[in-house]
Amino acid sequence: MSPGVIFWLISTLMGYVTLFLSALSIACGLYCAAEIAEEYSSMSLKVIKGTLGFVGVCHFLCLFSGVGFFTLLISSLCHLTYCLLLPKFPFVSPTSLASICSILAVLLNHYNWFQFFYSNYTPIFQVTGFFMLMIWIVPLELFVSLCMEGDGLPNEQRVGTGKGSNVFKGFVEVFREIWEKVAPKIGLKKVDGIRKMY
């Protein structure tokens, strides 16, 4: 006997609830990481450099496991592109050549590995783990660590202070402002006493 409509509705609804809660958990984790990275920017730079080195070693080891040289070369060059953001760390200008190249490198790296996994079947659990280490971890570290250039105090030192407006927290602030404008229009009450967390 096959499951009925009620089973399908419950499992589908709870699947979406689980997806929403997972996304919320990831966002909270990224926010906490942004707070820590902003407070300890010199330590964040060391962690990013260490991660880049570790990912480089993993690229080298993948060379001996049958992954194509060209695929690994493209991925390695993408990771080297992220190093362009490190000299002015933690500050970044969104229109700088380094920022644009890094964004293009993230997109190219995704395309590169999607092509690889399209032609080489691998279970989704392994693909996700591979993507986390070889594609997402360094851009995520940079995303939660970098601050917009020009948002710091006028007299502060530009390198290693980490006291500008964090890029990730800036996105959170934009969504918070949008929510405050939209919530009353759709009939939700504004909750008093909620202040900015930063």
Side-chain angles (χ1 to χ4, degrees):
M1 182 173 160
S2 65
V5 174
I6 302 242
F7 174 81
W8 180 83
L9 285 173
I10 290 172
S11 60
T12 302
L13 176 65
M14 293 316 294
Y16 283 114
V17 169
T18 302
L19 187 63
F20 172 75
L21 292 176
S22 298
L24 186 62
S25 298
I26 291 170
C28 291
L30 287 174
Y31 191 86
C32 290
E35 284 286 330
I36 293 168
E38 188 175 31
E39 189 66 30
Y40 303 103
S41 60
S42 60
M43 180 61 77
S44 300
L45 180 60
K46 290 177 186 175
V47 168
I48 291 170
K49 286 180 178 179
T51 305
L52 277 167
F54 181 72
V55 170
V57 169
C58 290
H59 277 89
F60 180 72
L61 294 175
C62 284
L63 192 59
F64 301 107
S65 66
V67 178
F69 175 77
F70 190 67
T71 302
L72 289 170
L73 178 65
I74 291 173
S75 188
S76 298
L77 290 174
C78 289
H79 277 80
L80 286 175
T81 305
Y82 305 145
C83 295
L84 297 173
L85 296 172
L86 298 182
K88 292 174 66 177
F89 185 86
F91 296 101
V92 64
S93 171
T95 57
S96 71
L97 183 62
S99 297
I100 293 168
C101 287
S102 295
I103 291 169
L104 292 175
V106 169
L107 297 174
L108 177 63
N109 207 12
H110 276 82
Y111 176 78
N112 180 39
W113 287 110
F114 279 136
Q115 289 298 314
F116 174 79
F117 284 113
Y118 182 75
S119 60
N120 299 290
Y121 173 76
T122 308
I124 189 67
F125 184 72
Q126 291 177 346
V127 172
T128 305
F130 185 87
F131 267 54
M132 177 52 84
L133 176 66
M134 302 293 274
I135 299 172
W136 296 333
I137 194 163
V138 174
L140 275 175
E141 287 176 345
L142 289 169
F143 185 60
V144 300
S145 301
L146 293 173
C147 298
M148 289 295 187
E149 195 170 63
D151 283 348
L153 297 174
N155 293 332
E156 72 177 304
Q157 290 243 326
R158 302 306 284 170
V159 179
T161 59
K163 296 298 181 190
S165 174
N166 186 285
V167 175
F168 178 73
K169 288 169 50 177
F171 280 114
V172 171
E173 177 65 22
V174 167
F175 285 117
R176 189 184 69 79
E177 289 174 4
I178 291 171
W179 176 253
E180 287 182 354
K181 291 177 184 174
V182 171
K185 292 179 182 176
I186 60 174
L188 297 174
K189 293 181 181 178
K190 187 175 177 183
V191 180
D192 293 331
I194 295 180
R195 292 171 292 194
K196 287 198 306 184
M197 297 172 68
Y198 50 94

